[in-house]
Amino acid sequence: QVQLVESGGGSVQAGGSLRLSCAASGRTFSNYIMGWFRQAPGKERELAAAISRSGISTYYTDSVKDRFTISRDNAKNTGYLQLNSLKPEDTAIYYCAISRTIELIRKVTARNQYDYWGQGTQVTVSS
């Protein structure tokens, strides 16, 4: 059993920044790939970014690449997503999730590949 708790969401103007955190407990955080998904009302949940167990490899969907940065601190059992240059289209609930999948990080992009999920944190970007 793993518990994940996101924080750091909020409401910002377009062009602004937020830093999301994901605090993990219950099992060794470094045993898992970590991803950040996002979901807007009426839309599919999509992977925004993912990071390998060691933190060496990262993946970003094209729509966030060069604006978002995923990172992790395994010693603190915490993952992060830095969101810069935010756009209204980034408005969504953001979920932290972890995966036990053994695969290259760019292949771990589907919702059903992730085993544990946080409750989500709302990010709202106004124009």
Side-chain angles (χ1 to χ4, degrees):
Q1 182 66 37
V2 177
Q3 298 81 46
L4 302 173
V5 179
E6 302 97 332
S7 61
S11 182
V12 298
Q13 297 287 133
S17 298
L18 289 169
R19 184 174 176 82
L20 309 182
S21 296
C22 174
S25 63
R27 290 182 180 175
T28 304
F29 185 55
S30 62
N31 287 347
Y32 302 89
I33 289 168
M34 183 188 74
W36 285 94
F37 287 76
R38 62 185 187 176
Q39 186 169 27
K43 297 184 179 179
E44 298 176 1
R45 189 173 299 189
E46 65 171 358
L47 181 68
I51 188 166
S52 64
R53 290 166 171 83
S54 67
I56 293 174
S57 299
T58 59
Y59 166 87
Y60 299 95
T61 193
D62 286 344
S63 62
V64 310
K65 193 173 183 66
D66 300 323
R67 298 189 299 119
F68 293 5
T69 302
I70 189 170
S71 61
R72 66 192 298 164
D73 186 339
N74 288 336
K76 296 181 178 179
N77 293 324
T78 303
Y80 306 94
L81 187 67
Q82 179 70 43
L83 299 79
N84 294 331
S85 302
L86 283 162
K87 304 174 181 179
E89 64 189 18
D90 296 318
T91 295
I93 301 174
Y94 283 70
Y95 297 90
C96 178
I98 56 174
S99 174
R100 64 172 70 97
T101 300
I102 305 300
E103 185 56 87
L104 297 174
I105 191 66
R106 67 179 182 270
K107 301 294 186 181
V108 189
T109 61
R111 180 176 178 178
N112 63 9
Q113 294 177 287
Y114 288 78
D115 303 292
Y116 299 97
W117 295 79
Q119 83 289 347
T121 186
Q122 177 72 46
V123 171
T124 302
V125 185
S126 59
S127 61

